[in-house]
Amino acid sequence: LLARSQPSSSVGDVRERDLIARIQQRLPPAPDWVILGIGDDGAVVEPERNRVEVLSTDAFVEGVHFDRAFVPPEAIGHRALAASLSDLAAMGASPRLALLSLALPTELPLADFDGVVDGIALLARRTRLCVVGGNLTRSTGPLIIDVTVMGTVKRRQALTRGGARPGDELYVSGTIGSAAAGLCLLRQNAGTVPLSASSVVERYLHPEPRLRLGMQLARNRAASACMDLSDGFSDAIHQVAEASRVGAIIDGDALPMDPVATGVFESRGLDPLMEAIAGGDDYELLVAVRPNVRARFRAAARPDVSVTRVGVCTAERKVVLRRQGRADSLPRGGYTHFGA
Amino acid sequence: LLARSQPSSSVGDVRERDLIARIQQRLPPAPDWVILGIGDDGAVVEPERNRVEVLSTDAFVEGVHFDRAFVPPEAIGHRALAASLSDLAAMGASPRLALLSLALPTELPLADFDGVVDGIALLARRTRLCVVGGNLTRSTGPLIIDVTVMGTVKRRQALTRGGARPGDELYVSGTIGSAAAGLCLLRQNAGTVPLSASSVVERYLHPEPRLRLGMQLARNRAASACMDLSDGFSDAIHQVAEASRVGAIIDGDALPMDPVATGVFESRGLDPLMEAIAGGDDYELLVAVRPNVRARFRAAARPDVSVTRVGVCTAERKVVLRRQGRADSLPRGGYTHFGA
């Protein structure tokens, strides 16, 4: 009891029900389709009429997906939820509900717990996502945030990875490599980075899931395939190519990069393009578009985020990178071995 | 590549996509309401008509909820899924779908990974639960299995903790304390236990979520409140009493125990009743029943599992344990501090 009133309390000093109450305090009131929210054996919700449901789970593991040494608690929460929301964006779904499963080291400061929850709650509020339940448990190791989300979309409008055809144009939203550059800076400077680098640091700490773009593309049917870049551009283009049974030619010189990111990589003697292609955590969308609906696609994207044409789908099932006149097979990137 | 062909491979030697393929091989074909299953950014499913949805998440953490030293991989998988299914049972819901999020230490033997998945897949198949997606990640610490389940129930039939009234009778299914006794034996004997103890060891390793009982109670409306005993009988009776704003008198001499469990506790100088009341992992149901529907309740339970009347709800908001003529306030049990 004494421990609870100390400013340096950790989650291990607090009762589970009090931790749940702290989460509830940070969440907005539930909408009326939530029949029973947090507090029973399960949540009870009314499904949305005339829509199909999109479900996705993502885990954020300390030491694998984030480092508490230089990522503030609120950004940890934001990123964990953004990763799941990005999957909904890539399917063209509107966010509906989430379940949070938190595995907490008992020595986690209570203020950090509150910060993680704040990061989740703020993004949930902004995207009209209702947290209907979840689970709290002790962790004997890392802090783990597991988020399951459900969104909805009209049945024939769900975007998939598998609909691209030879001749379809390939676009990405925003920039690539920014989050990787931001992480690079944060890691080397242990949390203190020059103000001039804030654009890329922000892209790492507070990625913006492209929900509006995804929903627009679902509605106006301008996308033949869509996927998010969570594991990097190279991984995404290979996944879309495989699922759609096509190949692709990527124009390396066209890939959209933040000049700050280019500078970060160059100053470390790295090839900016290859870093940007391999780097993850961008949460932008890769979209395949039939040439005859190009205008419709650009109109859908305009109010929300810039989109850049980066290549074309081919019948020959190879992924090729063209740069400065040369054409090479694009390395898949991302990790190939689970243990890597 | 070499490592993959060795019999002693661990998950760190294998590509993520190959681990996913190993999971898919173990799962039955998806039903036709699954529009898009494992393999895209999210799963797409058609909601069930005229039903509401029940959602629940449970995490199973190595070193907190299980010990790999004496719980076989297949039982780890079974228990992780059974815990989530038990929440659906307590709400009266029919299982529909699950998402699995696994955080894997890279040194986890591949055979153990397969075993965990087998345990999940077998129970999923038997309960007609479709695994539609999930997530795999490395863990820098313990093995963690996070299961999110969705079930469905008719809108006015969902069972909650909050409907008990003074005068309602209290029942439990099966026995209490068996899993705690089984765990006690497994822990002391490092996995080798006498055959005569198999009943309680089985209750720990392979708990049976009371799905059929829950669904029957939802249909025939014989339960005024229901909760599962995952955190122990004492925790459950306190939760139901609080949510329903009632008290309870529990008849200690009536609590159903397996004689093997009684023997296990007695041989260690422990009070069997108090161990059974505090012990968790039983996954039985605690049910409140209006006296005038008692016959209907018993009829619902009969084909599935024994039920025992263990007490009555009272207007006075205290939970009292009567045994051998004495009446004491019942300790809440379970952990009070998150770090305990």
Side-chain angles (χ1 to χ4, degrees), chain B residues 48-332:
Chain B
E48 211 169 325
R49 276 168 199 241
N50 304 316
R51 312 268 285 180
V52 295
E53 296 172 336
V54 179
L55 294 146
S56 181
T57 294
D58 257 298
F60 254 60
V61 181
E62 180 181 357
V64 178
H65 301 97
F66 64 89
D67 191 327
R68 273 200 274 154
F70 56 76
V71 182
E74 170 276 323
I76 293 172
H78 177 100
R79 293 184 67 234
L81 181 55
S84 287
L85 288 173
S86 181
D87 286 326
L88 294 185
M91 305 293 292
S94 323
R96 191 156 210 249
L97 61 84
L99 294 111
L100 305 180
S101 184
L102 308 180
L104 309 171
T106 52
E107 75 280 5
L108 182 76
L110 202 50
D112 287 6
F113 171 83
D114 289 344
V116 169
V117 175
D118 279 333
I120 292 170
L122 272 170
L123 183 56
R125 191 184 288 263
R126 191 152 62 75
T127 56
R128 293 168 178 238
L129 179 86
C130 179
V131 177
V132 297
N135 191 71
L136 292 181
T137 181
R138 269 193 304 139
S139 169
T140 50
L143 168 63
I144 302 191
I145 302 169
D146 216 287
V147 184
T148 300
V149 288
M150 182 207 281
T152 67
V153 62
K154 283 201 182 155
R155 179 166 185 147
R156 289 183 206 295
Q157 296 185 0
L159 308 174
T160 71
R161 299 176 182 178
R165 280 195 247 147
D168 284 5
E169 298 172 354
L170 290 164
Y171 292 81
V172 289
S173 63
T175 59
I176 66 168
S178 296
L183 173 59
C184 194
L185 282 173
L186 283 167
R187 220 176 234 158
Q188 287 200 338
N189 301 286
T192 351
V193 291
L195 199 61
S196 58
S198 64
S199 64
V200 297
V201 170
E202 262 303 290
R203 292 306 301 157
Y204 178 76
L205 294 179
H206 295 106
E208 184 65 32
R210 297 301 181 193
L211 287 163
R212 191 149 169 236
L213 175 59
M215 286 188 262
Q216 287 290 339
L217 295 178
R219 262 185 231 122
N220 80 5
R221 304 182 190 216
S224 58
C226 187
M227 182 177 170
D228 77 333
L229 301 189
S230 44
D231 291 330
F233 176 82
S234 179
D235 172 72
I237 182 63
H238 279 94
Q239 299 264 16
V240 166
E242 263 171 45
S244 298
R245 300 167 179 274
V246 297
I249 299 172
I250 303 301
D251 178 2
D253 303 322
L255 288 171
M257 288 190 65
D258 183 328
V260 176
T262 308
V264 167
F265 295 129
E266 275 174 352
S267 70
R268 282 155 180 78
L270 301 165
D271 178 347
L273 184 62
M274 297 318 284
E275 294 301 314
I277 283 173
D281 299 324
D282 275 322
Y283 302 109
E284 298 294 348
L285 297 183
L286 171 67
V287 189
V289 179
R290 308 254 192 274
N292 62 335
V293 297
R294 183 192 301 147
R296 193 147 37 103
F297 166 70
R298 287 205 174 268
R302 196 164 301 127
D304 191 39
V305 59
S306 67
V307 290
T308 308
R309 183 170 156 184
V310 298
V312 66
C313 295
T314 59
E316 199 191 356
R317 294 184 62 180
K318 287 196 331 199
V319 180
V320 171
L321 175 68
R322 281 218 181 116
R323 63 189 303 201
Q324 295 155 354
R326 289 178 44 198
D328 294 300
S329 154
L330 179 69
R332 182 162 188 129

Side-chain angles (χ1 to χ4, degrees), chain A residues 21-99:
Chain A
R22 294 177 96 94
I23 296 176
Q24 283 180 296
Q25 282 159 19
R26 286 167 165 78
L27 296 172
D32 58 5
W33 51 261
V34 177
I35 300 166
L36 198 63
I38 296 169
D40 214 297
D41 290 289
V44 183
V45 303
E46 194 155 15
E48 211 170 326
R49 274 168 201 241
N50 303 318
R51 311 269 286 182
V52 295
E53 296 171 338
V54 179
L55 294 146
S56 181
T57 295
D58 258 299
F60 255 60
V61 181
E62 180 181 357
V64 178
H65 302 96
F66 63 91
D67 190 327
R68 274 200 275 154
F70 56 76
V71 183
E74 171 276 323
I76 293 171
H78 177 99
R79 293 185 69 234
L81 181 54
S84 288
L85 287 173
S86 181
D87 286 326
L88 294 185
M91 305 292 293
S94 323
R96 191 158 207 246
L97 61 84
L99 295 112

Side-chain angles (χ1 to χ4, degrees), chain A residues 12 14-15 17 39-41 43-46 53-55 65 101 137 146 148 155 161 228 332 336 338-339, chain B residues 12 14-15 17 39-41 43-46 53-55 65 101 137 146 148 155 161 228 332 336 338-339:
Chain A
V14 180
R15 291 182 305 174
R17 57 163 60 195
D40 214 297
D41 290 289
V44 183
V45 303
E46 194 155 15
E53 296 171 338
V54 179
L55 294 146
H65 302 96
S101 184
T137 182
D146 215 288
T148 301
R155 180 167 186 146
R161 299 177 184 177
D228 77 332
R332 185 164 185 128
T336 48
F338 189 73
Chain B
V14 180
R15 292 184 304 173
R17 58 164 59 195
D40 213 298
D41 291 289
V44 184
V45 304
E46 193 156 15
E53 296 172 336
V54 179
L55 294 146
H65 301 97
S101 184
T137 181
D146 216 287
T148 300
R155 179 166 185 147
R161 299 176 182 178
D228 77 333
R332 182 162 188 129
T336 48
F338 188 73

Side-chain angles (χ1 to χ4, degrees), chain A residues 80-244:
Chain A
L81 181 54
S84 288
L85 287 173
S86 181
D87 286 326
L88 294 185
M91 305 292 293
S94 323
R96 191 158 207 246
L97 61 84
L99 295 112
L100 305 180
S101 184
L102 308 180
L104 308 170
T106 52
E107 75 280 6
L108 182 76
L110 203 50
D112 288 6
F113 171 82
D114 289 344
V116 169
V117 175
D118 279 334
I120 293 170
L122 273 169
L123 183 57
R125 191 184 288 264
R126 190 152 62 74
T127 55
R128 294 170 179 235
L129 179 86
C130 178
V131 176
V132 298
N135 191 72
L136 292 180
T137 182
R138 269 193 304 138
S139 168
T140 51
L143 168 62
I144 302 191
I145 303 169
D146 215 288
V147 184
T148 301
V149 288
M150 182 207 282
T152 66
V153 62
K154 283 201 182 156
R155 180 167 186 146
R156 288 183 208 295
Q157 296 185 1
L159 308 174
T160 70
R161 299 177 184 177
R165 279 196 245 146
D168 285 4
E169 298 172 354
L170 290 164
Y171 292 82
V172 290
S173 64
T175 58
I176 67 168
S178 296
L183 172 59
C184 194
L185 282 172
L186 283 167
R187 217 176 237 158
Q188 286 200 338
N189 301 285
T192 351
V193 291
L195 199 61
S196 59
S198 63
S199 64
V200 298
V201 169
E202 261 304 290
R203 292 306 303 155
Y204 178 76
L205 294 179
H206 295 106
E208 184 64 33
R210 299 300 181 194
L211 287 162
R212 195 154 165 234
L213 175 59
M215 286 188 262
Q216 286 291 337
L217 294 179
R219 261 185 231 120
N220 81 4
R221 304 182 190 215
S224 57
C226 187
M227 183 178 169
D228 77 332
L229 302 190
S230 45
D231 291 329
F233 176 82
S234 179
D235 172 72
I237 182 62
H238 279 94
Q239 298 265 16
V240 166
E242 262 171 46
S244 297

